[in-house]
Amino acid sequence: MRGDKGVGIGIALEAFGIAAVGSLLLAQVCMSVAVRFHWVDRPGHRKIHRKAVPYLGGLAIFLGASLSLGLLAFLDPALGGAGLPVLLACFLPALGAMAVGLWDDVSDLRPRLKFGLQAALALAFSWYGYSFSTIHIPGFEAVMLGHTLSALLTSFVIVALANGYNMMDGSDGLLVGGSAATLLVLALAARWQGQAPLEVLALAGAGGCVGVLLWNLPPARIYMGDAGSQGLGFLVACALVALGKNAPGHFWDNAFAEINEPFSYKVFLVGIFAGWPALEVLLTVARRTLQGRRLGVA
């Protein structure tokens, strides 16, 4: 159901601006740390850059977004009160995914362990936060899902979207620029739905991306790494699932009541919204299958 209002223009600008400036400045610190500890992407036969490029761009994005959200939650009683569960439900899984990606950037995790941690984060969000409780595709009757099936389907979508973002990260500026645009559209959608906390979350994420984008434009001076692709993929996915819903964790309040969607054809529309990374996954799987190459190999 459409909401009546979003956040004020001042709060919206602050959410975006604090994150943008914070990530812009913190990216310089992250570059120095990455070089100091040799967390860099070195040139190779599959790569076009001629010198080592530091990772930790994803960390800079989330540090800037965390700074913005923390300050606004402290200063704004609405965001720090009733809106806090929404912020935490959507942002903490993304932070966790960013941390898993960062671990992979510096230690080269085994694929099974990485996917297992991603699945655990997605399942926790889907079980205790938000999930697709209804499947409604144009031309077909809406179907209400049980809690377990709903959580599993939602977890699959989140993990698939996060890994789609990872596969997109192949050109300077592509992932972070595309993520900024997606989060800005998400902020507009949340505003239309009257979800102020979700709008602020999307604006903070978009601001973090814009700040780091200035360092990631060709030729990039910092790379997103798995921390960026996994974290941003989770952030977009969790915000999409939460779009149109109120407080997290209320699945059973209306799970077996009449079919009740926040807006028509949500799963279908979310699929279109996430079409770019989803298409990247499908094309990559098809290409590697035809070539006889495993997905776990670079």
Side-chain angles (χ1 to χ4, degrees):
M1 200 170 181
R2 180 177 174 175
D4 296 324
K5 61 181 180 178
V7 298
I9 296 299
I11 295 293
L13 291 175
E14 288 174 0
F16 183 87
I18 294 171
V21 174
S23 63
L24 175 66
L25 299 177
L26 289 166
Q28 293 180 289
V29 178
C30 289
M31 283 189 280
S32 299
V33 172
V35 171
R36 170 68 177 82
F37 290 98
H38 306 290
W39 296 332
V40 297
D41 189 355
R42 293 180 174 82
H45 70 281
R46 297 188 304 110
K47 304 170 184 179
I48 61 173
H49 56 281
R50 297 172 181 255
K51 62 180 181 179
V53 178
Y55 285 125
L56 303 191
L59 177 61
I61 289 174
F62 277 85
L63 287 175
S66 298
L67 176 65
S68 175
L69 293 173
L71 285 174
L72 290 178
F74 178 75
L75 297 173
D76 190 312
L79 288 175
L84 192 58
V86 178
L87 293 176
L88 293 178
C90 294
F91 194 60
L92 288 182
L95 272 180
M98 185 277 295
V100 171
L102 183 61
W103 187 8
D104 189 32
D105 288 332
V106 302
S107 300
D108 196 18
L109 293 181
R110 290 179 298 171
R112 287 186 180 180
L113 176 58
K114 182 169 70 172
F115 286 133
L117 292 172
Q118 290 174 0
L121 288 167
L123 188 59
F125 169 82
S126 305
W127 193 269
Y128 297 106
Y130 297 96
S131 61
F132 295 123
S133 56
T134 306
I135 293 182
H136 196 185
I137 300 173
F140 297 88
E141 292 292 328
V143 177
M144 178 66 79
L145 303 173
H147 195 184
T148 300
L149 184 57
S150 173
L152 291 175
L153 173 64
T154 306
S155 299
F156 173 79
V157 170
I158 293 171
V159 172
L161 189 59
N163 285 283
Y165 267 62
N166 188 33
M167 293 177 184
M168 282 167 47
D169 190 19
S171 301
D172 294 348
L174 177 62
L175 172 67
V176 68
S179 298
T182 300
L183 287 164
L184 286 173
V185 175
L186 254 172
L188 291 174
R191 187 175 189 84
W192 184 77
Q193 290 289 325
Q195 292 179 275
L198 198 61
E199 181 184 352
V200 168
L201 176 66
L203 287 169
C209 288
V210 169
V212 174
L213 178 61
L214 298 177
W215 299 107
N216 189 239
L217 291 173
R221 296 180 58 186
I222 191 170
Y223 282 164
M224 296 301 99
D226 268 22
S229 60
Q230 301 299 319
L232 288 172
F234 260 74
L235 182 61
V236 170
C238 292
L240 280 171
V241 177
L243 188 63
K245 297 188 176 184
N246 294 317
H250 288 185
F251 180 93
W252 288 106
D253 290 349
N254 60 0
F256 297 104
E258 61 180 338
I259 298 297
N260 182 23
E261 291 186 298
F263 49 85
S264 298
Y265 311 124
K266 180 176 180 182
V267 174
F268 179 77
L269 292 174
V270 166
I272 295 176
F273 200 95
W276 182 12
L279 181 61
E280 185 72 34
V281 171
L282 291 174
L283 290 176
T284 300
V285 170
R287 182 172 61 250
R288 292 192 171 210
T289 299
L290 292 173
Q291 295 174 347
R293 297 167 58 197
R294 291 179 297 153
L295 282 174
V297 177

